[in-house]
Amino acid sequence: MTLQETISTDLKTALKAKDEIVLGTLRLIKAEIQYELTKTGASELSDTAVMQILKTNYKRRKDTALEYDKANRPDLSSKEIEEAEIISRYIPKEVSEEEIGKATEEAILELSATGPQDMGKVMGKVMAKFKGQNIDGSKVSSLVKQALSAR
């Protein structure tokens, strides 16, 4: 079963269970998937494309929750956090810092990187290794920068 089909099935389940928060969140995700389908003219999106939609929405919810916290609106913040948790069910676990560090060292050795000027090449190699997995680009960037500046 594809990710898109899983979301549709869970949407139907939430509708039958009258689970409003899950229903609302999945409807928004489904609408974005439908928008992408219309834009591309495809009949179904790949799991990678759906994953990108999910990651974008997850990050958006987390950022919005932080903004609500800063504005002293815990009621709205908790709703955003709840929606982010629902979305996170469909996102695989994030690649660990240890795995990123190991891949960074391997890429540095393979490319014979000598300093910060090689950051782009090393970043590209590390990101390519984890393509299709849940990886935080900013975390990769800081670890690569740290490893290269130590050289």
Side-chain angles (χ1 to χ4, degrees), residues 104-115:
T104 300
E105 288 303 319
E106 289 172 4
I108 289 171
L109 291 173
E110 189 177 317
L111 297 169
S112 302
T114 56

Side-chain angles (χ1 to χ4, degrees), residues 109-123:
L109 291 173
E110 189 177 317
L111 297 169
S112 302
T114 56
Q117 70 274 11
D118 296 320
M119 186 160 172
K121 289 190 267 184
V122 175
M123 279 281 301

Side-chain angles (χ1 to χ4, degrees), residues 34-86:
Q34 194 60 46
Y35 175 74
E36 283 297 315
L37 288 171
T38 305
K39 203 165 75 172
T40 60
S43 61
E44 191 168 326
L45 291 179
S46 67
D47 278 354
T48 308
V50 174
M51 188 61 61
Q52 191 58 47
I53 291 170
L54 290 167
K55 285 181 189 177
T56 302
N57 276 279
Y58 178 78
K59 184 172 180 351
R60 190 180 302 148
R61 298 295 188 307
K62 288 296 219 180
D63 292 345
T64 305
L66 284 173
E67 291 301 316
Y68 283 140
D69 281 339
K70 287 179 189 173
N72 200 23
R73 294 293 310 264
D75 53 329
L76 296 175
S77 176
S78 65
K79 181 181 182 289
E80 293 294 328
I81 290 170
E82 209 173 330
E83 289 179 0
E85 288 172 3
I86 292 165

